[in-house]
Amino acid sequence: MAIQFLFHLSLLLLILLSPPPTTANLEGDALYALRRAVNDPHNVLQSWDPTLVDPCTWFHVTCDSDNRVTRLDLGNAKLYGKIVPELGKLERLQYLRLNGNRLTGRIPRELTKLGNLKILDVSNNDLCGTIPTSGSFSKFTEESFVNNPKLEGPELMGFVRYDAGGCN
């Protein structure tokens, strides 16, 4: 009986003293999903090592005092590939600059849920589909999206489907 009590007490202490779950690894995973989805001929993402504790030491990534990602600056990095929906997990992201690359595909709907996003620049790529206007995207002008020849929009409340518009 005493051994069972000590076991349960030890287990309870282990649970109570365990560190809280961290968001740094979730954010690192989200950014690393982008790394896997793009080709990087100039190795600008070379520092993006998924084995590090958090992505705050990676080049082109800025974090706040809580080690949460607030800024992603990959403008004119010569990347090509797709923007991944996992970026929607960067809850404190305020600045997203992906302009001047050769990114293709749709703008993931998950990005519209980034409530802290103040600056978005995906101009000068080869994105397609319609420009989302819901959530945080409601405040961005067409300047954020210019020079994407296959990108249509903006999405009009119920008149143009999000999945419409020249995207295969």
Side-chain angles (χ1 to χ4, degrees), residues 49-135:
D49 180 353
T51 64
L52 296 176
V53 173
D54 64 55
C56 298
T57 59
W58 298 358
F59 292 143
H60 312 288
V61 175
T62 304
C63 295
D64 61 15
S65 59
D66 295 327
N67 289 335
R68 301 285 302 273
V69 176
T70 58
R71 187 176 190 124
L72 182 58
D73 288 301
L74 290 170
N76 301 303
K78 309 266 190 288
L79 303 173
Y80 59 97
K82 298 195 181 296
I83 302 173
V84 295
E86 287 87 347
L87 293 181
K89 295 177 182 173
L90 303 175
E91 295 174 349
R92 293 197 191 168
L93 191 66
Q94 297 175 18
Y95 303 92
L96 178 58
R97 295 189 189 272
L98 299 171
N99 57 298
N101 289 290
R102 291 182 288 167
L103 299 173
T104 59
R106 298 182 190 286
I107 298 169
R109 174 68 89 202
E110 290 81 355
L111 299 185
T112 65
K113 296 178 181 145
L114 293 171
N116 293 311
L117 198 59
K118 296 176 185 172
I119 302 289
L120 171 73
D121 191 352
V122 293
S123 63
N124 301 299
N125 281 289
D126 198 21
L127 299 171
C128 61
T130 56
I131 298 171
T133 57
S134 61

